[in-house]
Amino acid sequence: MAATLIWIPLLVGLLAGLVGTEAQETTLHPLVGRVFVHTLDHEAFLRLAEHVAVPPSVPVTYHAHLQGHPDLPRWLRYTQRSPHHPGFLYGTATPEDRGRQVIEVTAYNRDSFDTTQQSLVLLIGDPEGPLLPYQAEFLVHSHDVEEVLPSTPASRFLTALRGLWEPGELQLLNITSALDRGGRVPLPIEGRKEGVYIKVGSASPFSTCLKMVASPDSHARCAQGQPPLLSCYDTLAPHFRVDWCNVSLATARDFLTDALITLLVPLLVALLLTLLLAYVMCCRREGRLKRDQATSDIQMVHHCTIRGNTEELRQMAASRDVPRPLSTLPMFNVRTGERLPPQVDSAQVPLILDQH
């Protein structure tokens, strides 16, 4: 009973704080195909007096979700190392995510149990400028994902990477924790990091150094436990320890030509076969007249005789009381098919005269 009396004021205060809190609204503009990072600072959520700094010892945790849904959209992730560190919302929007999305964030003060809400209105649009057909992804073992999400480490990585790329502007396309890609949780030893995948794009082509790193010879050396071929100075070291055996290069391709070839070639082959079959069936038919003219007269007479005898036998099968079949009459003219008038009833003439 005493424990119940203690929790009642806490619950009343918590509900009062929730009712009296008005959610702040912030509008952001993520771009399709570009990494989006938003920092959840304690100062933006804690309600303190003006000109009062937020004590670093205040523990604050966050919960973020898509408005009307329990979770975040599929392209957006949330991470926070501890309640004493800021939280991060990060990810890369896809073309299917264009439009307006509202993310509701609730901050929990673990000391005072106060809650503060904030709405992030994301207006996702297409990026401006040239396309980035040349894309490369690097596995950095020396950092965790939240260590490269702030703008300063990300800019330092791009600056160091320019020494390994052809001159041109580099853009961050995606940042993913190695744990989300199947990596293992490191041992709790100082200096061990989870690792992070950083994807970079540019309109400038790859340098010879990067092409050599991703060559089959380098992959063969990595399979044998040897370092890959690196013909240039590693400008990312020592701040960023990159696993050069896990560097992947990709060049954007125009699939219109492949699609046209895949669809048009079978259609053309089918059309040619159809025309060939129509020519054989319709244009190469000899016809009955040509067939009859090419057939000898005696063969035609034999054919007509067989057909006539067949019809006669069918008629005889229907009725037994019929005159003698015409096939028993004297031989007809094989050339003209004309039947000769009966002279002698050959049916009465024995085949062997000696038997008469």
Side-chain angles (χ1 to χ4, degrees), residues 86-99:
F88 294 95
L89 289 173
Y90 69 100
T92 302
T94 62
E96 292 78 12
D97 299 317
R98 293 189 187 97

Side-chain angles (χ1 to χ4, degrees), residues 40-62:
L40 303 177
D41 290 326
H42 296 357
E43 297 179 355
F45 287 88
L46 295 180
R47 293 177 297 173
L48 299 177
E50 295 183 0
H51 307 293
V52 176
V54 177
S57 60
V58 176
V60 178
T61 58
Y62 304 92

Side-chain angles (χ1 to χ4, degrees), residues 243-259:
D243 185 359
W244 293 105
C245 288
N246 283 283
V247 175
S248 60
L249 306 181
T251 304
R253 295 177 54 189
D254 186 8
F255 293 97
L256 178 60
T257 303
D258 298 339

Side-chain angles (χ1 to χ4, degrees), residues 12-344:
V12 172
L14 179 62
L15 293 176
L18 290 175
V19 173
T21 301
E22 295 183 359
Q24 304 175 1
E25 186 173 293
T26 303
T27 303
L28 303 173
H29 299 272
L31 299 178
V32 174
R34 304 290 190 273
V35 66
F36 165 76
V37 180
H38 179 69
T39 305
L40 303 177
D41 290 326
H42 296 357
E43 297 179 355
F45 287 88
L46 295 180
R47 293 177 297 173
L48 299 177
E50 295 183 0
H51 307 293
V52 176
V54 177
S57 60
V58 176
V60 178
T61 58
Y62 304 92
H63 175 71
H65 64 91
L66 182 64
Q67 188 179 48
H69 297 78
D71 300 321
L72 290 171
R74 59 181 182 178
W75 67 273
L76 197 60
R77 296 180 180 273
Y78 164 76
T79 184
Q80 185 183 16
R81 178 57 58 177
S82 71
H84 298 282
H85 291 82
F88 294 95
L89 289 173
Y90 69 100
T92 302
T94 62
E96 292 78 12
D97 299 317
R98 293 189 187 97
R100 184 177 183 270
Q101 295 181 356
V102 179
I103 306 298
E104 295 181 348
V105 182
T106 304
Y108 301 91
N109 189 331
R110 294 302 179 180
D111 286 342
S112 62
F113 301 102
D114 291 337
T115 60
T116 306
Q117 293 183 347
Q118 186 180 38
S119 296
L120 304 178
V121 181
L122 306 183
L123 303 180
I124 305 174
D126 294 323
E128 298 179 355
L131 299 178
L132 307 178
Y134 300 96
Q135 302 176 4
E137 190 174 53
F138 304 88
L139 174 58
V140 181
H141 286 301
S142 57
H143 289 70
D144 293 331
V145 62
E146 65 272 3
E147 295 177 346
V148 297
L149 289 176
S151 59
T152 301
S155 300
R156 184 183 302 172
F157 181 83
L158 293 180
T159 302
L161 185 60
R162 289 190 179 96
L164 302 176
W165 209 300
E166 293 292 337
E169 184 180 1
L170 301 180
Q171 293 283 345
L172 280 175
L173 302 183
N174 195 12
I175 298 177
T176 309
S177 173
L179 300 181
D180 298 333
R181 302 280 290 271
R184 296 183 178 181
V185 178
L187 296 175
I189 303 176
E190 186 178 359
R192 296 290 183 92
K193 300 292 184 177
E194 299 172 356
V196 58
Y197 285 91
I198 302 178
K199 191 174 185 179
V200 182
S202 176
S204 302
F206 301 120
S207 63
T208 306
C209 180
L210 290 178
K211 293 179 181 178
M212 184 175 297
V213 169
S215 64
D217 294 338
S218 295
H219 292 166
R221 291 173 59 90
C222 291
Q224 298 175 0
Q226 301 177 3
L229 300 175
L230 190 64
S231 61
C232 56
Y233 176 72
D234 186 2
T235 57
L236 295 172
H239 300 288
F240 300 94
R241 183 164 52 88
V242 177
D243 185 359
W244 293 105
C245 288
N246 283 283
V247 175
S248 60
L249 306 181
T251 304
R253 295 177 54 189
D254 186 8
F255 293 97
L256 178 60
T257 303
D258 298 339
L260 292 178
I261 293 176
T262 304
L263 296 176
L264 292 181
V265 171
L267 290 177
L268 291 177
V269 173
L271 180 60
L272 291 177
L273 293 178
T274 303
L275 294 177
L276 180 61
L277 182 62
Y279 174 75
V280 172
M281 296 295 295
C282 301
C283 302
R284 297 291 296 176
R285 294 188 62 183
E286 297 180 352
R288 183 176 180 181
L289 178 61
K290 185 176 182 179
R291 182 197 63 187
D292 294 344
Q293 292 177 355
T295 306
S296 61
D297 294 339
I298 187 171
Q299 186 177 356
M300 294 294 297
V301 170
H302 288 170
H303 176 71
C304 294
T305 303
I306 293 173
R307 290 189 60 185
N309 294 338
T310 303
E311 294 295 333
E312 186 178 1
L313 290 175
R314 290 177 180 175
Q315 294 177 4
M316 290 175 61
S319 175
R320 296 293 181 177
D321 189 13
V322 294
R324 293 180 58 188
L326 298 178
S327 59
T328 59
L329 297 179
M331 181 59 68
F332 54 87
N333 192 332
V334 297
R335 298 291 298 176
T336 63
E338 181 182 359
R339 298 181 182 274
L340 298 176
Q343 300 294 336
V344 180

